[in-house]
Amino acid sequence: MESTPSKIGRTITAIAIILILLIGSVGYLAWYNLFREVDTYYESVEDHFKYGSIGSENAEGVPYWIWLVLPRIFPDKLPKPGGYTSLGITWEEGQELPVGFSKKIIGFPRQGITCALCHSATYRQTPKDKPTIVPGGPSNKFHLQGYIRFLGDCATDPRFNADYILDEISYNYDLSLFDKLLYRFIIIPRTRKELLELKETFAWMEERPDQGPGRIAPFNPVKFRVLGLPVDDTIGNSDMMSIWNQNQHEGFALHWDGLETSLTETVNTGAIGDGATKESINIQGLKRVEDYIRQLPPPKYPYTIDQGLAAKGSQIFESNCASCHAFGGERTGTVIPIDEIGTDRYRLDMWTQAAADAYNEFAEGYDWDFDQLRKTNGYVAVALDGLWLRAPYLHNGSVPYLTDLLEIPEQRTMVFYRGYDVYNPEKVGFVAEGVAAEKEGFKYDTRVTANSNQGHVYGTELAAEDKLALIEYLKTL
Ligand code: HEC
Ligand code: HEC
């Protein structure tokens, strides 16, 4: 029988349908395995703070299984044994992820970072103790620069290939045959490329003094990578900040130099700085973080306090410090001009009017748009809540102990080690000298550019016994 036009038509239609179905299922398969998004919801707001996605997985999330096995393939590229903990990352018992990491499925599981990576502190009473984790405190040991270097170095190594990586993953997880192909031909090569790009975009870091643990250059990555401003020669190395008790901070300028005045914007710029994009930023999840840090109380000093001495100290505080540091103080939460405060000015000069303008333009048209970034001329007289856990002190973390801050700069510790989290209740701060601190810590030399411990000489002329009383009071904050 001869084919009639209608028969041909039917055949074409059938082929077309089959083709559409085929393309459709390939498309679906591709979508399912590469783009489908599944987020984890944490009932507890503290867990959400520690592990909940802020939207940083899409653009910068390393595929989870690869991320997990890298320290096992490349222990030689880490500063010490111990995997990621050697970079100051903390695992809570019973948790899949370390504090400050999220995991989200975008086709396949990807790892991201959360606010808690930099904004949760740890301390130990003795070297044998497990670290006590305090959410909202400044991390004094997470080494972001070391972490970025590690990822970049892994990607440059020839062992960063499917054979090594898939073999190592198989000890943790049975990937399906299809997944293995996906990892071998798409995910592993792409991750390698992305990590090499990461190394490239952070190359500016290597031309400046080391940040060390507990410190980052928070806005240079934003300036150069997010806002597209030309790479300049500024050094923005600054200490992590505590973010608890924000309701009491209402109206205070935010960040060390007060470059923000809105808490919501500070939270959302935090997520952009951590790798969330305009499309991926989890505004709802971040609102939950904001509500949490508004209410989160600062931690109480865990050692005994001589209450009588502290009461005497509170009067010394009243006459020497309260105008700038007490809640309700006339200048608390405002920017004190750099010429008056006299501390290191590099962090201040890192942020420019051009950067503020560009960031204010950045999210134009989004309902979470930024418009309160600004350029200031000094550092904020910060509230001192939870002060005991905020060592080392000042914006660049240049003063290891509170007792040191009450000495004139010439008598403050010139070289110390930071990143060791055993506490020193006598000096009020983390143990920053001695064999153990040297072994675990990063050598901080105050003579290095942007590390200066000059300035803030308030209280340095008090009598020794008044200093003792004042310190006792500061422990109560
Ligand atoms: C990679 C480390 C890092 C991560 C992750 C991070 N921050 Fe920060 N954050 C910092 C540093 C460092 C500062 C101080 C920066 C400066 O001004 O020099 C800061 C400052 C802040 C402040 C200002 C506090 C004050 O009293 O002025 C807030 C609020 C804040 N961060 C919230 C967040 C939130 C919310 C997130 C998560 C969305 C986040 N941060 C993620 C490092 C980080
Ligand atoms: C004129 C205002 C002013 C007075 C008075 C003042 N401070 Fe400060 N204080 C500041 C500023 C501004 C900063 C931030 C400086 C920096 O980090 O570069 C600061 C920082 C600090 C810090 C470090 C906080 C941290 O998280 O690292 C401590 C501790 C501190 N001051 C204690 C005191 C004590 C104690 C007194 C009284 C003896 C005092 N200050 C008097 C303005 C003041």
Side-chain angles (χ1 to χ4, degrees):
M1 254 170 79
E2 279 172 34
S3 305
T4 59
S6 69
K7 257 194 181 161
I8 294 172
R10 276 209 296 277
T11 317
I12 290 175
T13 315
I15 291 173
I17 288 173
I18 289 168
L19 269 179
I20 288 168
L21 282 176
L22 223 87
I23 293 168
S25 34
V26 169
Y28 177 77
L29 222 68
W31 169 81
Y32 189 87
N33 287 292
L34 294 172
F35 304 109
R36 158 192 61 119
E37 298 204 6
V38 186
D39 206 352
T40 310
Y41 181 82
Y42 292 91
E43 280 302 327
S44 134
V45 69
E46 185 181 311
D47 285 348
H48 171 71
F49 176 71
K50 288 176 183 158
Y51 308 110
S53 170
I54 58 172
S56 66
E57 300 85 357
N58 301 56
E60 303 210 334
V62 182
Y64 174 72
W65 294 118
I66 300 180
W67 174 82
L68 191 72
V69 302
L70 286 182
R72 297 212 300 262
I73 304 178
F74 302 105
D76 50 307
K77 300 190 189 302
L78 285 166
K80 293 181 284 243
Y84 285 125
T85 56
S86 70
L87 294 167
I89 290 168
T90 311
W91 245 281
E92 272 182 301
E93 224 160 294
Q95 292 288 345
E96 181 188 13
L97 294 160
V99 175
F101 285 85
S102 60
K103 181 174 150 192
K104 182 174 171 183
I105 291 173
I106 306 167
F108 49 90
R110 303 188 208 197
Q111 145 284 346
I113 64 172
T114 77
C115 316
L117 186 55
C118 301
H119 295 296
S120 62
T122 64
Y123 71 94
R124 287 176 291 164
Q125 309 221 359
T126 75
K128 288 203 180 104
D129 294 340
K130 283 206 190 91
T132 301
I133 299 166
V134 185
S139 169
N140 72 321
K141 63 179 194 187
F142 171 52
H143 194 344
L144 181 74
Q145 187 169 30
Y147 179 66
I148 292 170
R149 281 180 185 155
F150 171 70
L151 294 178
D153 288 350
C154 291
T156 52
D157 193 296
R159 285 172 294 164
F160 197 105
N161 65 42
D163 290 340
Y164 271 95
I165 293 174
L166 286 175
D167 178 58
E168 203 56 53
I169 291 176
S170 71
Y171 294 101
N172 283 93
Y173 188 70
D174 257 337
L175 290 171
S176 69
L177 184 65
F178 181 78
D179 278 342
K180 278 186 193 148
L181 290 172
L182 216 60
Y183 271 80
R184 178 172 292 276
F185 293 108
I186 299 182
I187 300 175
I188 292 172
R190 199 173 68 182
T191 303
R192 181 156 182 273
K193 187 167 158 279
E194 283 170 1
L195 292 181
L196 290 173
E197 278 165 18
L198 183 81
K199 189 181 166 80
E200 193 56 41
T201 48
F202 273 96
W204 55 267
M205 225 168 45
E206 304 303 338
E207 264 122 58
R208 297 157 219 234
D210 270 355
Q211 295 161 11
R215 294 201 316 169
I216 58 168
F219 290 97
N220 271 342
V222 173
K223 277 161 53 187
F224 310 150
R225 302 171 70 209
V226 179
L227 303 175
L229 295 168
V231 174
D232 54 33
D233 59 1
T234 60
I235 304 168
N237 296 353
S238 74
D239 214 19
M240 316 278 189
M241 296 179 95
S242 58
I243 55 170
W244 45 57
N245 215 14
Q246 289 296 326
N247 272 344
Q248 277 226 51
H249 293 214
E250 198 68 62
F252 292 2
L254 293 134
H255 281 288
W256 286 113
D257 60 346
L259 62 76
E260 253 293 352
T261 51
S262 146
L263 178 62
T264 306
E265 287 193 13
T266 305
V267 168
N268 293 343
T269 50
I272 296 290
D274 295 343
T277 64
K278 280 183 222 175
E279 288 70 38
S280 72
I281 188 169
N282 181 359
I283 294 293
Q284 245 183 329
L286 289 164
K287 176 76 178 65
R288 219 176 148 205
V289 168
E290 179 181 335
D291 292 343
Y292 173 66
I293 61 173
R294 281 182 172 280
Q295 312 273 349
L296 183 66
K300 290 217 167 5
Y301 189 69
Y303 304 90
T304 44
I305 295 178
D306 179 338
Q307 294 298 343
L309 193 59
K312 186 180 158 213
S314 95
Q315 283 156 26
I316 299 162
F317 183 80
E318 201 50 50
S319 38
N320 291 278
C321 325
S323 61
C324 284
H325 288 303
F327 288 110
E330 198 187 325
R331 305 179 79 187
T332 310
T334 69
V335 175
I336 309 298
I338 187 70
D339 294 340
E340 184 179 345
I341 190 74
T343 50
D344 189 285
R345 66 172 300 146
Y346 276 87
R347 161 64 187 79
L348 174 65
D349 293 337
M350 176 274 300
W351 189 246
T352 59
Q353 185 62 51
D357 293 343
Y359 223 173
N360 284 332
E361 292 282 304
F362 170 75
E364 209 67 58
Y366 287 80
D367 52 12
W368 48 269
D369 181 29
F370 307 140
D371 53 32
Q372 309 220 22
L373 287 130
R374 58 178 186 168
K375 169 69 191 156
T376 72
N377 188 35
Y379 293 114
V380 177
V382 287
L384 301 183
D385 40 3
L387 185 64
W388 68 274
L389 195 55
R390 288 160 45 179
Y393 298 100
L394 295 183
H395 75 272
N396 54 358
S398 57
V399 180
Y401 310 113
L402 269 189
T403 49
D404 234 21
L405 189 64
L406 295 183
E407 298 300 329
I408 54 167
E410 292 65 33
Q411 276 166 27
R412 292 174 183 165
T413 312
M414 192 155 54
V415 175
F416 61 96
Y417 293 82
R418 49 173 303 161
Y420 184 53
D421 66 353
V422 173
Y423 204 76
N424 181 338
E426 279 76 45
K427 295 186 165 181
V428 193
F430 298 101
V431 174
E433 290 142 306
V435 178
E438 272 184 42
K439 214 172 123 211
E440 282 203 31
F442 160 85
K443 184 177 179 183
Y444 186 106
D445 190 330
T446 55
R447 292 162 299 187
V448 167
T449 313
N451 280 2
S452 158
N453 61 1
Q454 297 294 305
H456 196 287
V457 292
Y458 314 103
T460 54
E461 291 184 348
L462 290 169
E465 69 214 55
D466 288 345
K467 284 183 184 173
L468 274 181
L470 176 58
I471 298 264
E472 207 62 13
Y473 172 70
L474 294 175
K475 293 174 182 172
T476 68
L477 298 177

